[in-house]
Amino acid sequence: MRIIDLNETSRNNLLEDLLKRSPGQYGAYAGQVEAILKDIKEKGDEALFAYTERFDGVRLDKDSFRVTPKEIREAYEQVDPKLLAVMRRALANIRSYHEKQRRYSWFDSQPDGTLLGQKITALQSVGVYVPGGKAVYPSSVLMNIVPAKTAGVEQIVMTTPPGKDGKISPNTLVAASEAGADVIYKAGGAQAIGALAYGTASIPKVDKIVGPGNIYVALAKKAVYGFVSIDSIAGPSEILVLADESANPRFVAADLLSQAEHDEMASAILITTSRRLAEQVSAETDRFVQKLSRRAILEKSLENYGCILVADSMDAAIEAANAIASEHLEIVTRDPFQVMTKIRNAGAIFIGEYASEPLGDYFTGPNHVLPTNGTARFFSPLSVDDFIKKSSIVYYSREALEAVHQDIIRFANAEELTAHANSIAVRFADQADIQRREEP
């Protein structure tokens, strides 16, 4: 891996390179996505089945399009029982973590006749997109469905592209069944996003779409935002490790590669105050790459977006980490909890040498759907909050309104919104007439 001295120039160059990976940079694909979405909106199932045949190589109709209970039973027969047991333990952890995020309605009643509050309501329907093709990620199925289920969403509709045989990966189907998907459709790509956003004869329109996907899926989600809500526009995976001389170089190298193997645009960065550690990690990384199965992807990823930055101080390293705002941030220092208090921007923070990033990907409970491309400066991990909405509650008695009505009228008139003022004044018109008659 490249070793670079951390300074203002190197930091800015790195940030500029990382931003090039944003889905917003791929305008060349936008026209294709818009054409697909237009067809889905106008032709519904006809276009959906045509695109499925074109892109996935399988011909489906309204009868074979929806996953049946029989297919789910068959999936259970094909899944390794040991994997199913692990999946269930992970599911218990994920559910337990997200249950702690539940929000409740509240009401505040005062003696003066006022009641204010906030009503929490779960979204009625949510679409969960699950990638297919070369990679199958049942862990992402759990991470997207569990918070929606925990929030109380009534209808969870999952879509995922079928294989050439017209079937879905057994691992994916079992994960969806265990997590609580209500209905599963064999559809992928921008066409599936369009179907969830606009609705077709087969797929109902949903209120929100969540889940990762390729660039076509990302751009389709961006395009339909407004018709429905979305979670985020996900970019390539990324990890940043903050380390000092106390870190184990083999552990650090292994963790960097755990994200670099996702794809050629994944980012793996080490920021350290120790040049010796930088050199050791670089050497260990090279050794690991020679032995790992996804060598070609790892080499390309590290060449494009992998580097080691050597900082003069931990404060400088932390400042750079906050500027990068990585999806995953590992802290491997002598006093990692102290460093953690200074971190402002990160999707998920892993503390200590045994909190390896894959722990969060699969098992421990916090959601692994995280903000990427620097959006951790203002976005949060997927959570129960993403599947609820809030309504303000206001109640005033006549006496309570009477005490403040002149203030409201004055404010409305100052903004020249006389209908606003009248809406308040009309409620006390009789009283105003009495007062005028009583005046000498």
Side-chain angles (χ1 to χ4, degrees):
M1 290 182 71
R2 294 172 293 157
I3 299 177
I4 305 169
D5 288 330
L6 175 62
N7 53 45
E8 186 175 355
T9 299
S10 61
R11 188 183 75 176
N12 290 342
N13 287 342
L14 177 60
L15 290 172
E16 186 176 341
D17 285 343
L18 293 176
L19 283 175
K20 293 176 183 176
R21 307 175 315 136
S22 167
Q25 301 293 318
Y26 293 86
Y29 299 92
Q32 300 173 52
V33 169
E34 288 173 4
I36 292 171
L37 294 176
K38 183 174 182 291
D39 277 350
I40 297 297
K41 191 173 184 180
E42 294 177 353
K43 301 176 183 177
D45 278 353
E46 178 188 347
L48 187 59
F49 298 149
Y51 282 118
T52 300
E53 183 174 3
R54 175 180 170 185
F55 294 131
D56 298 313
V58 57
R59 180 174 294 181
L60 298 174
D61 56 32
K62 61 183 179 61
D63 297 319
S64 57
F65 184 50
R66 178 172 173 167
V67 172
T68 64
K70 180 183 177 183
E71 288 176 292
I72 294 176
R73 289 195 299 271
E74 291 173 347
Y76 272 94
E77 294 171 359
Q78 298 174 59
V79 168
D80 181 349
K82 292 182 178 179
L83 174 60
L84 178 57
V86 170
M87 198 181 294
R88 285 173 172 167
R89 290 197 291 273
L91 181 60
N93 292 340
I94 297 165
R95 184 178 291 120
S96 175
Y97 182 89
H98 287 83
E99 284 174 348
K100 295 177 176 65
Q101 297 176 339
R102 280 178 172 159
R103 304 284 291 274
Y104 298 95
S105 301
W106 59 266
F107 302 93
D108 181 20
S109 179
Q110 296 295 323
D112 64 359
T114 65
L115 183 148
L116 302 177
Q118 181 173 270
K119 184 177 183 293
I120 302 294
T121 307
L123 300 182
Q124 188 169 356
S125 61
V126 166
V128 174
Y129 183 87
V130 175
K134 297 178 182 178
V136 176
Y137 299 116
S139 60
S140 283
V141 176
L142 303 183
M143 292 291 183
N144 280 278
I145 293 178
V146 168
K149 203 73 177 177
T150 303
V153 174
E154 292 180 18
Q155 179 83 342
I156 298 175
V157 180
M158 191 180 104
T159 66
T160 187
K164 301 290 185 184
D165 57 358
K167 296 182 179 180
I168 306 298
S169 159
N171 289 349
T172 297
L173 285 184
V174 167
S177 175
E178 291 288 317
D182 293 296
V183 59
I184 305 168
Y185 293 100
K186 302 170 185 178
Q191 60 271 23
I193 300 301
L196 291 169
Y198 307 130
T200 72
S202 296
I203 296 184
K205 181 184 186 304
V206 299
D207 297 320
K208 184 165 188 171
I209 301 172
V210 301
N214 61 19
I215 188 62
Y216 293 97
V217 170
L219 290 175
K221 287 170 69 177
K222 182 178 179 182
V224 300
Y225 178 67
F227 289 95
V228 293
S229 178
I230 62 171
D231 51 351
S232 63
I233 308 296
S237 186
E238 52 199 34
I239 185 171
L240 189 153
V241 179
L242 265 180
D244 60 17
E245 70 283 355
S246 68
N248 183 316
R250 275 181 70 78
F251 293 178
V252 172
D255 290 357
L256 290 170
L257 295 176
S258 74
Q259 294 306 293
E261 76 169 340
H262 271 294
D263 62 63
E264 295 176 355
M265 297 182 71
S267 162
I269 300 168
L270 166 63
I271 305 179
T272 179
T273 52
S274 169
R275 183 166 291 277
R276 182 168 183 268
L277 178 72
E279 293 169 351
Q280 290 174 326
V281 169
S282 180
E284 292 288 356
T285 300
D286 291 342
R287 280 192 282 271
F288 276 132
V289 167
Q290 303 305 312
K291 299 185 295 182
L292 294 169
S293 63
R294 297 169 71 89
R295 176 177 174 178
I297 292 175
L298 288 167
E299 288 178 337
K300 200 69 176 176
S301 170
L302 294 178
E303 178 186 345
N304 291 335
Y305 301 107
C307 70
I308 300 172
L309 298 173
V310 180
D312 292 333
S313 67
M314 185 52 65
D315 284 343
I318 293 169
E319 183 182 356
N322 280 326
I324 293 169
S326 185
E327 177 188 18
H328 307 98
L329 172 66
E330 290 188 2
I331 303 174
V332 194
T333 61
R334 293 189 187 280
D335 191 357
F337 286 94
Q338 175 63 25
V339 173
M340 180 270 291
T341 63
K342 299 179 180 180
I343 298 299
R344 297 181 60 87
N345 305 323
I349 303 173
F350 299 81
I351 300 173
E353 65 180 4
Y354 291 100
S356 177
E357 188 281 332
L359 184 67
D361 273 350
Y362 296 110
F363 199 76
T364 188
N367 210 291
H368 77 199
V369 180
L370 303 167
T372 57
N373 285 113
T375 60
R377 293 191 304 275
F378 45 83
F379 279 146
S380 305
L382 191 71
S383 73
V384 169
D385 283 349
D386 287 290
F387 300 98
I388 62 170
K389 56 182 179 177
K390 306 164 190 174
S391 301
S392 301
I393 301 295
V394 178
Y395 166 80
Y396 264 53
S397 67
R398 176 183 173 86
E399 292 75 21
L401 181 59
E402 182 178 1
V404 299
H405 79 284
Q406 291 293 352
D407 291 341
I408 302 168
I409 291 170
R410 185 170 290 108
F411 218 145
N413 284 331
E415 294 186 349
E416 298 184 2
L417 296 175
T418 55
H420 282 62
N422 183 63
S423 176
I424 299 296
V426 71
R427 284 165 167 78
F428 302 97
D430 293 343
Q431 179 177 315
D433 290 341
I434 292 171
Q435 288 176 342
R436 280 195 296 270
R437 286 197 297 270
E438 290 178 351
E439 291 176 358

